[in-house]
Amino acid sequence: MNLSVSSGEIFGFIGPNGAGKTTTIQMMAGLLNPTEGSVIIDGIDMAAQPEKAKKKIGLIPDRPFLYEKLTGMEFLRFTADLYNIEQESFLEKTENLLNMFSIFDHAHELIESYSHGMKQRLIMSAVLLHDPPLIVVDEPMVGLDPRGAKMVRNLFCSLAEKGTTIFMSTHTLRLAEDVCSRIGIINKGILIATGTITDLKHAAHVGEANLEEVFFQLTEGES
Amino acid sequence: MEVITLLKPRFWSFKNVGFLKKINAGFFLFAGIGLIFLGGIFAVSYRILIYFQQVEDIGDILAYKLLSMTLLIFFSLLIFSSILTSLSKLYLSKDLALVHTMPVCSEKIFLARWIESTLDSSWMVIVYAIPVFVAYGIVYNAGFFFYTDIVLVLALLCIIASALSSLIILPVVFVLPASRIRSIFVFLGLAVLIILYITFRLLRPERLVNPETFSSLLVYLQNLGAPSSPLLPSTWAFDSLKAALSGDIKSALFHVALSLSCAAFLIFINLLVARAVYFKGFSKTQASISRLFQTQSKGFDRLFSFLSGPARAFVSKEIKTFWRDQTQWSQIFLIAALIIIYVYNFSVLPLDKAPIKTVYLQNLFSFLNMALAAFVLTAVTARFSFPSVSMEGSSFWIVRSSPISIRAFLWIKFFIYLFPFLILSEILIVVTNLLLDVFPFMMYLSVITIFFLTPGVVAMGIGLGAAYPDFASENPAQSVTSFGGLVFMIMSAIYIGVVTILEAGPVYMIFMAGLRGHSLSCFQWIWVIGSFSTAFVLSILAIVLPMRFGEKRLSFLK
């Protein structure tokens, strides 16, 4: 796979189950060592300088496993300490983020009492604490209610406008179609197509069809 | 039929994991240790029974009393173990949410789960019980029927214990959440065991060998003949085995029938109660966890403000998680009891009655105490720092994706555990040395040796815990019983043993030279310096090598 994503882009990463989306994300985030090849984040090689590269990334995994015995606020403090965020800036940012994600009232409760959606919101707050230039997100809408989903969609767009890169793996093709500037389709570990929606339509020879039809057309031939 | 279907996933999982696939070096190591342990139980039981047979008049009474006590202890252990297992199987297992969505009535789910729980909670007790009963069979020249009777009696005892446990659990889950009951039972069970042990220790049974207390021994002997309660299932088991030992098959079968009828009755009652309350209890367990903590911990965080950001993050997280996890409390309780008993034993050593010169003996004990204290440290490390990497569980992705290296993560963990363990082991060694009233030389030597041993043992715990993590375990504290835990225990024992042996020769020379007022020869000085230097190098290697090994294995973990 050879893929590069530019600054300020929202890149959608789609593919059938077991295609290799999560594996790619895990390699990008430094959770998995690639058997060959390299991952370069903002000019930094993940294998050579993993800590420096990870400082540039905010990872939102599909399953929100957190430290259940910490409170939401303590988890944010933990994240802030890991990224060496100053106390003053931490307090200000935390309040804004917790309010934005509607979990301010639950900030001092143990994470074990949070619902799936609340945990997802907490992870997003933690990721935004250190203003990463790249946000890698695996299935962003899982567990979020419609209001939360809309808020996240708007948030990604506004972050991209400010220059943050969003790399998003999703099965929600409508979401990818609406917010992504470019989309990559992966199947059986191979990147079979990349480009804007228009590029993909050309590649699939489907005329004015939507992304769903493009997806079926491109992945059917491969499977 | 549906009950069998519900049990099939367990059987298939076992088949798919594959018994034959598990046969590797670790398997042989575990199997070897298990067999040695079983052989040990048999040898001790056999030796005791042979000894009892040689005691005139009361030999058989003692042997039967021992059998009755053994059965009672097994029965108590089975009930305790069944309570914990059935809580997990009936209410806390992750797959229950799936099972309860299936079109099967709740008492059938209960029955399937109860069968699983009975097997899980009793197989180990049975495995360890069999050598004891086989020893009875051999010593008393029992026939084939006795061995059949053992199987019948133990199986029924397990079923009764498991049925009684679930009868306790079913209504209690109505009042308390299942997760909390487990902690409470672990806590209470440990408390009872520890109190029993401490009471036993404080009674000082060693005094019984003293003729001055003979009158109390006579009273004790009178009690030996007293029968156990006829209402206890362990008594029926005892009566059956006793009858089978003497060849009275009819009486043995009668007591087996008593157990069988009790077991059948309890299962029937269980099904009735389960039909009424099991699903309601399960439903209650699924309700959201109550919000216990409304904590503000600014003051606590300020304590560690001198540390770097990542170090502070992990220290703070580790300590908070530790104290808020109730399963850790029982561990602390157990370790505290171990230490109290350890120190107490030193305070009652009858040094003045020993035939060897007291000063020599005191200092010999002090030297051995260094190794013993290090073994206590190994037990503490095995319980707390070895599972600390596994404790990260499914949240380990946070560490992997954070901007700190695995090396830094492990070293932070190392220091988190090093300081409290160092303080604990130094207090232990100083207090026991004060109780022994040792020479200043031995005091300094002990303090310095423990100062160098502790980092090595802690590093082995962290490093090997990182090399063999179990992130999927529901109870990571038990990871010490895994292959990695075994490697840690063996490595730690070897390390402590080698350092003790290295120091033994030079310490003896220095101590004897001091006693006799001589000075050391040139050769002796070389020996002393060589031994202590080797021990020092070994201590450095014990810190560096396991940490590197753990880092390497954890970094490449998929």
Side-chain angles (χ1 to χ4, degrees), chain B residues 142-392:
Chain B
F144 174 74
F145 177 75
F146 174 73
Y147 298 99
T148 317
D149 198 47
I150 292 175
V151 177
L152 285 172
V153 158
L154 285 182
L156 289 169
L157 205 60
C158 292
I159 293 171
I160 292 171
S162 179
L164 280 173
S165 305
S166 50
L167 267 183
I168 296 168
I169 293 299
L170 283 166
V172 173
V173 170
F174 245 65
V175 188
L176 287 162
S179 55
R180 201 142 314 151
I181 298 174
R182 187 162 64 170
S183 308
I184 291 168
F185 270 108
V186 170
F187 202 72
L188 285 180
L190 277 173
V192 169
L193 283 176
I194 290 161
I195 291 166
L196 274 176
Y197 183 72
I198 292 178
T199 316
F200 176 74
R201 202 59 209 90
L202 295 181
L203 282 171
R204 295 169 66 185
E206 63 272 15
R207 285 183 310 176
L208 292 175
V209 294
N210 190 342
E212 289 161 26
T213 55
F214 194 66
S215 58
S216 64
L217 207 66
L218 275 176
V219 177
Y220 171 69
L221 283 174
Q222 278 172 354
N223 286 332
L224 278 179
S228 306
S229 166
L231 294 175
L232 275 173
S234 59
T235 308
W236 309 330
F238 166 71
D239 288 340
S240 178
L241 288 175
K242 189 181 168 189
L245 270 179
S246 54
D248 186 354
I249 297 176
K250 215 171 156 186
S251 172
L253 285 176
F254 169 74
H255 288 102
V256 166
L258 266 182
S259 299
L260 186 66
S261 64
C262 176
F265 173 73
L266 285 174
I267 292 172
F268 176 69
I269 296 288
N270 258 297
L271 288 176
L272 285 182
V273 177
R275 183 179 296 175
V277 300
Y278 174 53
F279 182 71
K280 287 177 189 164
F282 171 73
S283 172
K284 218 176 162 187
T285 311
Q286 298 306 298
S288 67
I289 298 160
S290 58
R291 289 163 185 170
L292 271 179
F293 293 91
Q294 299 279 342
T295 53
Q296 293 274 2
S297 49
K298 281 179 194 162
F300 178 80
D301 287 332
R302 238 176 267 142
L303 259 178
F304 302 103
S305 56
F306 64 94
L307 294 171
S308 72
R312 186 171 59 235
F314 278 105
V315 170
S316 176
K317 187 271 291 179
E318 201 80 14
I319 295 172
K320 283 172 188 161
T321 310
F322 182 84
W323 287 110
R324 287 173 191 172
D325 185 356
Q326 293 153 15
T327 56
Q328 300 280 11
W329 300 353
S330 50
Q331 309 280 338
I332 296 172
F333 201 53
L334 197 67
I335 295 296
L338 174 72
I339 290 167
I340 291 168
I341 293 162
Y342 183 79
V343 174
Y344 174 78
N345 280 340
F346 274 88
S347 69
V348 294
L349 276 176
L351 291 172
D352 48 329
K353 288 181 185 169
I356 313 169
K357 202 178 172 189
T358 308
V359 176
Y360 178 77
L361 205 63
Q362 280 168 325
N363 290 284
L364 176 70
F365 273 133
S366 167
F367 185 75
L368 294 175
N369 184 29
M370 285 191 315
L372 285 175
F375 284 123
V376 171
L377 173 72
T378 302
V380 179
T381 308
R383 271 293 166 199
F384 297 108
S385 59
F386 180 82
S388 73
V389 173
S390 299
M391 291 287 239
E392 297 288 326

Side-chain angles (χ1 to χ4, degrees), chain B residues 15 51 84 96 125 233 283 314 444 541 550:
Chain B
K15 202 177 75 178
Y51 172 74
L84 295 177
L96 277 168
V125 178
S283 172
F314 278 105
Y444 295 138
L541 290 176

Side-chain angles (χ1 to χ4, degrees), chain A residues 127-146:
Chain A
V127 158
L128 295 175
L129 260 182
H130 68 285
D131 298 320
L134 167 64
I135 293 177
V136 179
V137 48
D138 197 356
E139 283 300 342
M141 302 310 175
V142 173
L144 292 180
D145 58 24

